[in-house]
Structures are given as C-alpha cells and as structure tokens.
Amino acid sequence: MRIEPRKQILDIWRYMLEYCYVDGEWVWGGRAKSNPIADAEQLLCLFWPMTQIATFSVHDSDETQADVAAALRPLGEATRIPRTLVEIALEYFKNHTDADDEPRFGAGSYLQALDPNATVPTDASTQELEVVDAYSMSITLCLSLLFFVDSRLELEIQAKHRENLRDLQRRASRRLTAAMVGMLRSFVINSVTVDSDPGRAIIEMLRQGDSTDAEMAKRLAERFERLRTQITTSLRLGLSDDAKPEKDQLFECGWTWGIANGSKPIEEDYAVGLKVSEKTGYAQSRPWLYFTVNALDGIVDFTSRRAAALNVMDDGQRDLADALSLRWELTQRYWSTVARFDAERWPLEDIPWRTSDGQESDYYSLLVMSVLIQDLVARTATDADLLKAIGILQELAQRGRITRRMSEGDEALALHYPGVPQGLGGSDEAVGTALVLFTSDYAPLIIKRSLQAAQLTDDVEAREALMGLAEAAMDHLYERRMTRNGDPIELWDDLSAFPGMTGVKFEQPSWYLTERVVEALVATAIAFEQEPPRSPVLYEHLLRLLNEADHVYNRELLRSNVFEKTALRDRLEEIGTLIARARELSRRRTSTAIAKTEEALRLLDALEVARLDAGRSR
C-alpha cells in the first residue's frame, strides 16, 4: 500500500482520542497497565508528529491546519488544544514523580518472569526496576515537550496557562537530566579474553573465511586499536577503570538493560539530589543490542541541529549530552565495524546475528543493521555499502515474513508476537526473580531503517527498492490493525489474521507498537520532505535540452519587435519564465526541470510553425 503519513497519523489521532480522552479525562494505560514507559509512548503518539513535522504543529492556533484541528477536536477548539495537551503532559509527570520530586523510570507492567511458570513479584522493587527504554523514551518525550513549550510560551497570554507551561518546562527539564544520567550509567564496555566463551562467540560471528583464532584476534586488535585508545583515555563519567579493555582483550561496547552493575555514581553538580545518579546498578555489564539501539535513537534526538538551535538544554544537560554523544560515536563505530569486518562478505550478511552470549535471531541482525544505517547516515555512504545493506534488508524482510506469506507454525511469527525475549541478566539479584522484556518492533524497524537508507542515495533503483520494502512492511502492519465491529481502526495490535492466531485477540491498544508505527510514519514524512534524487544521466539530458531551448529562444528574441505589445511578445515572456524556472530546478528536481524545458521547446516550435505558415500564405 502507499504510505500516506499525513492521513495515517491523523487517523491514529482520531481513534486514539476516542480511546484515551473520555469525558474530559485522559485514560492512561492500554494493553499494558500504566507505567512510565507505556505512558510516554502514549504521549509521543501525539507530541512526536507535532514537534517533528511543521504542518502538524498546534502551538499556534492561528497556524493550526484545519484537518489537524478536526482530528484533535475532542481536546477542544484550536485555541484550547495546546492548553489541554499541557494539562495532560503535566498529569504524566505527576503520575511518574515520587513524593521527593524524583522522576520514576520503572518498567512496571512491561516486565515478565523469564521462567514462564514463575510469577513476577508485585512489590515496589519490581515495579520500579528501571530499564534503558524508560531513559530513552523520556529523553525523546522531554525534548519534544521542551520544544513545544518553547514555541508556545511567547503566544500564551493567560497567566494560569503560562504558569502551567513553566511548570511543564521545569518538570520536563528535571526528568531529562535524570534520564540522561541513567543512560550514562547504563553504558558498558564488555572486555573478554580470546579463549573465553564470549570471546570465541565474537570471533565465530566475525569469521567469514578460514582465519585461525590467533589471526582473527590480531585483526581485531589492529582494527580496534584507535577505538580502544579512545575508550581508555576519553571515557570517565559512570565508568570504572576496571571496565576498560586491556591490550590483549576483545571488547564490545553499548548499553546494558539498566544501570550497570559496578557503575560509578555521577557526582557532578547537575546530578546532585537525583536518585538515579547514585542508585545501585544490577544490570549485567555487557551490551544488549536492543537497548543499545534504543539508547542510540534517544541520543540522536538531543544531538540534532534543532535541539542545538532552540537551545532548550541547560549547561549540565549539555555536559551530559557531550558525554553521551562520545559514547554514541564510539558505539556507532564499533558496531558498524564489526558488521562490515570482512570487506568481501560482511558478518552482517551471515544471518542470523549471534551475540556474545550465544543468542541468535534475525531480530539481532536487524538491530545491527539499524546501527550500521545510522552510521552510514552520519558518514558518507558508498554505493557498494548501500547496495549490500539493501540486500540484507530485503532478506530480513523475507525471513520476517514481511514480503513473504506467513504459514501455519511459522517460526517467524515469534518476531512479531510475543516478540524476542530480552532476558535481564542480573534482575534476579535486584528483585529475586529473573525477568524478561519482550520486543516486537520488527516491522516498524524495517520501515524506519529502509527510509533512512533511502535518503543516502541518488540511485533511483535503490530508492525504489527501499520504498518498496517500507510499503510492504506497512502492508504487514495494516493487516494487524485492531478492529471495532469488524472494521479496522488505526491502533495496534491484532494478529488474528495470521495463521494459528485466530484466538489471539486484544481489546486494548498496545502503545508500544502504536508509537513505533507513528515513528515510522514520521520517518516517512521526513523522507518525503527531502528533494528527490538527481540522476546524472537525466541531468546531462536536461543540460542538452536547456542549451537547445536557450539557443532557439534567443533567436526568437532577435526576430521580435521589442517595442510591440503583442501576443507573440507575451508568449516569449512565458517561454523565458519556463526556461528560468527549469534552470532553478535543475539541481533539485531534474525531471520537473526537463518537463518545463520540453514545454518551452514545444512553444518555441509552435512559434516557428506559425511563422512558416504565415510565410506560405503570402
């Protein structure tokens, strides 16, 4: 199906407000009970498009577009919408802040027991167990709200509502700082020896030929020598010296599932008084690919040009942003390097990816691909790299039954439901029971990464292939929309259309998946706002057309009377405008420029034919 982000986002808003805004009260929770992560996802379904796409903004009622106001009509008239949104956002902070004004990041109802026969303890320690998702989602939400407040404050004239905006700004800023501190303390370096089980797993995943273990260890040491030096000399906050790799050790870097076991407290002035800065860490000190990608996505939000331009962060937050940006850079480089370790055949092509703890899944391959594409976006991607990436994405889409039919008992179903289990190593020490978080965002990730990759190339065929993947993933997701009275609604997730899932039907929406669909739609909208690719072949053809059009046009100007106001003179002015517009568009929209030039040539030819006919009639 064709992805139409504007229509689809507005449809999501309409159905969402039917469910969430009842009799003037906001209903928190959905399939999962209210918790800091799910509620942030719920709010981001609204605030993410509003703060990322100019035509969805609602901070200025005079500029709010009619269809946006109509979709949000349950919140009130256009003048009332931003005020209601602020009140709802404030309710979120009040719900997830403790009596000491400390932000809470517990994963709560998202956590399940690793042992299916065990039950999750219901005491406060389990409900308040923090995971990186909570930090990452809070960073994205708080920045969105700070952008919103920054735009709205200068327009709000009523004292009460200005006070609400100031309160929201204060709460969002405090939660942002706490989330950044939590993210910093969740970053880990996993240093292992070559002959350990994790060391052998790393080598086996990267080995694509007949190299011996010793040869592989030497190549790894050489490839990562500079990165190892940077880690050893540049990283300080939250990371103990013991965690840094020795010269003869293999290592991997990224984010564990929560505050790492052994993480040092953050004692900087901006962290004083924040509980998250000194909490005991229980998370096993090795990177999880899922939490690493989530962390990288959150960090991208505050390293964007927009965040810098609006200046919504204070000095302490900028220091934290610099520390996290360094970790982002090192992690991107590490995983991008291991993904392409062998130039002839990338380890990433050897699907499924196997992690250092021996787990393997197509989902892990997609997560490594996510890091690689982010790295290619940050750097200049070569056509060869991009073509390989497209091939891997296409295979992952097939294996995940995005572009292939799902059959009865298909193992790929588990990628979508219940999802891939992320065992939280060390959680048993924190709460007495080993816990797990299920992740089921395979299809939205295919859309998001395909569209990011499409922005890297001017190759029309490559872009078509990537857009085709994104549209196939949206087809897959549209089969999973929830239904009401037999008709689909724009909320997720209903898998009853898949073989063997007829009896699995949910009455409440999953904000986890709905938010990720919204993310994918926003990524699509941003991709559509970019200029289309320019074909070198078409550009060369355009230059030839423009050269001929200019030549014939100048000849016609020489033949016309400059003082006569005739239809001929009007036509020549029209042709001149077409040629000028074609030159203006030549580097941005080559095909449109060709169409303008061809129209000018047709008009010039018509003038010549008219002159010849006039000559014959004399």
Side-chain angles (χ1 to χ4, degrees), residues 349-526:
E349 294 179 87
D350 190 7
I351 300 171
W353 188 271
R354 186 167 56 256
T355 60
S356 61
D357 65 343
Q359 301 294 313
E360 60 181 31
S361 170
D362 294 348
Y363 182 62
Y364 297 144
S365 295
L366 182 54
L367 291 173
V368 176
M369 172 60 74
S370 296
V371 184
L372 174 60
I373 288 175
Q374 283 193 20
D375 191 58
L376 294 178
V377 169
R379 309 172 197 280
T380 302
T382 67
D383 287 341
D385 282 349
L386 193 61
L387 287 174
K388 275 196 177 185
I390 291 171
I392 297 167
L393 274 172
Q394 287 173 326
E395 184 174 353
L396 289 171
Q398 291 174 10
R399 293 169 68 104
R401 300 301 179 263
I402 301 293
T403 54
R404 291 288 186 272
R405 178 176 58 85
M406 195 172 289
S407 58
E408 188 79 32
D410 204 319
E411 291 183 0
L413 179 61
L415 294 170
H416 310 289
Y417 180 82
V420 180
Q422 309 294 329
L424 308 184
S427 57
D428 54 331
E429 295 182 22
V431 300
T433 301
L435 300 175
V436 66
L437 185 76
F438 282 91
T439 55
S440 55
D441 56 340
Y442 195 92
L445 266 181
I446 290 281
I447 299 175
K448 192 173 178 180
R449 303 314 176 191
S450 296
L451 290 165
Q452 286 180 330
Q455 295 175 59
L456 296 174
T457 180
D458 287 336
D459 185 286
V460 177
E461 289 185 3
R463 286 176 68 102
E464 279 294 306
L466 290 164
M467 283 304 300
L469 270 181
E471 288 169 354
M474 187 57 76
D475 282 340
H476 168 93
L477 284 168
Y478 256 53
E479 290 181 12
R480 294 167 56 178
R481 287 175 296 172
M482 296 179 68
T483 58
R484 180 189 298 156
N485 300 323
D487 297 321
I489 61 174
E490 308 298 303
L491 296 174
W492 280 263
D493 185 25
D494 182 354
L495 296 109
S496 57
F498 291 138
M501 297 295 291
T502 307
V504 180
K505 191 169 180 64
F506 298 101
E507 299 299 326
Q508 296 175 309
S510 161
W511 299 120
Y512 169 91
L513 192 61
T514 301
E515 188 275 335
R516 282 153 178 81
V517 173
V518 170
E519 271 190 47
L521 291 170
V522 169
T524 308
I526 291 171

Side-chain angles (χ1 to χ4, degrees), residues 142-151 153 166 169 173 176 180 301-319 321-322:
C142 292
L143 282 173
S144 296
L145 292 173
L146 289 171
F147 293 153
F148 183 84
V149 170
D150 187 74
S151 302
L153 258 174
R166 292 293 187 195
Q169 187 178 52
S173 184
L176 175 62
M180 293 169 83
D301 292 334
F302 59 69
T303 57
S304 69
R305 291 180 182 177
R306 188 178 181 210
L310 289 179
N311 200 27
V312 295
M313 293 190 291
D314 61 31
D315 290 343
Q317 289 163 350
R318 280 190 283 271
D319 286 347
D322 289 343

Side-chain angles (χ1 to χ4, degrees), residues 583-601:
R583 287 201 178 280
E584 183 185 338
L585 293 172
S586 61
R587 293 187 178 277
R588 294 187 292 118
R589 288 184 236 160
T590 309
S591 297
T592 305
I594 288 173
K596 295 283 185 188
T597 310
E598 288 177 339
E599 186 179 351
L601 285 167

Side-chain angles (χ1 to χ4, degrees), residues 113-216:
L114 183 61
D115 180 353
N117 297 316
T119 57
V120 179
T122 56
D123 60 8
S125 63
T126 304
Q127 295 301 306
E128 294 298 321
L129 190 67
E130 298 177 2
V131 298
V132 162
D133 282 33
Y135 305 141
S136 180
M137 281 292 169
S138 286
I139 287 171
T140 303
L141 176 62
C142 292
L143 282 173
S144 296
L145 292 173
L146 289 171
F147 293 153
F148 183 84
V149 170
D150 187 74
S151 302
R152 178 65 187 168
L153 258 174
E154 62 183 23
L155 301 171
E156 183 56 73
I157 58 175
Q158 291 192 16
K160 172 190 172 183
H161 296 297
R162 285 186 65 82
E163 183 58 33
N164 280 348
L165 284 165
R166 292 293 187 195
D167 189 22
L168 180 58
Q169 187 178 52
R170 180 189 67 81
R171 290 174 180 271
S173 184
R174 183 168 177 78
R175 189 176 188 87
L176 175 62
T177 300
M180 293 169 83
V181 168
M183 188 84 86
L184 197 60
R185 297 191 66 208
S186 302
F187 179 82
V188 292
I189 308 290
N190 183 31
S191 303
V192 298
T193 59
V194 175
D195 57 356
S196 66
D197 288 342
R200 282 192 291 271
I202 291 171
I203 285 175
E204 285 306 314
M205 186 65 238
L206 301 188
R207 191 192 335 256
Q208 296 302 304
D210 298 325
S211 302
T212 65
D213 286 359
E215 289 169 336
M216 286 293 296

